[in-house]
Amino acid sequence: MGTFITMLPTFGVGLVAFLVLVSVFDSISKIALFASLLVFNPVVKWGVYASSFALGVFLLGPVEGATVADASLQAGPAIVTRLVVGNLILAVIATALGYVAIHRLATRYDATELGDALETFVDDTLEASSDR
């Protein structure tokens, strides 16, 4: 859920959705939700938006008058449509790939072993960064 919500062009509303989900459902992993914010941070999201728009243009065709030099306000809804269509497709793909990757990790390692491996990785990373 975190990957899907974070990939959508919510412009900050996704964080509110996370807070609502965490307060409504006890079984949702807060760590998993907020980890998606680390992966799809504001810097990465602009690349996602550009890819989403390009995919939307590929599927729905170019927007008349929507160039960098001469963008019109009338093209706004068409641009947003292409962005959202492309973004939904990319969000579904990223969510499915993320689910498969996490499911394979979870079934390969038990929780204690995975937690120990993650703790070791974090400790090694912190040590490496402090040595610099």
Side-chain angles (χ1 to χ4, degrees):
M1 288 185 78
T3 300
F4 185 78
I5 292 170
T6 307
M7 289 229 10
L8 295 177
T10 58
F11 302 107
V13 178
L15 183 57
V16 174
F18 284 175
L19 296 174
V20 169
L21 287 171
V22 165
S23 67
V24 172
F25 299 102
D26 292 334
S27 62
I28 285 186
S29 170
K30 295 167 190 74
I31 294 172
L33 278 180
F34 290 102
S36 66
L37 290 172
L38 296 174
V39 174
F40 297 107
N41 60 59
V43 174
V44 173
K45 286 206 60 159
W46 288 110
V48 172
Y49 293 157
S51 300
S52 299
F53 182 70
L55 180 59
V57 167
F58 175 76
L59 295 172
L60 301 175
V63 177
E64 190 71 32
T67 64
V68 175
D70 184 33
S72 69
L73 293 176
Q74 294 173 343
I79 290 172
V80 170
T81 300
R82 280 148 181 80
L83 174 68
V84 170
V85 166
N87 207 260
L88 282 171
I89 292 169
L90 291 180
V92 167
I93 291 169
T95 300
L97 291 174
Y99 176 81
V100 169
I102 295 302
H103 185 268
R104 285 188 179 178
L105 281 172
T107 55
R108 182 172 294 163
Y109 302 102
D110 68 8
T112 305
E113 187 179 358
L114 187 57
D116 291 344
L118 186 58
E119 185 176 340
T120 301
F121 172 75
V122 170
D123 289 342
D124 291 347
T125 304
L126 292 175
E127 285 177 21
S129 66
S130 67
D131 290 341
R132 292 181 197 181

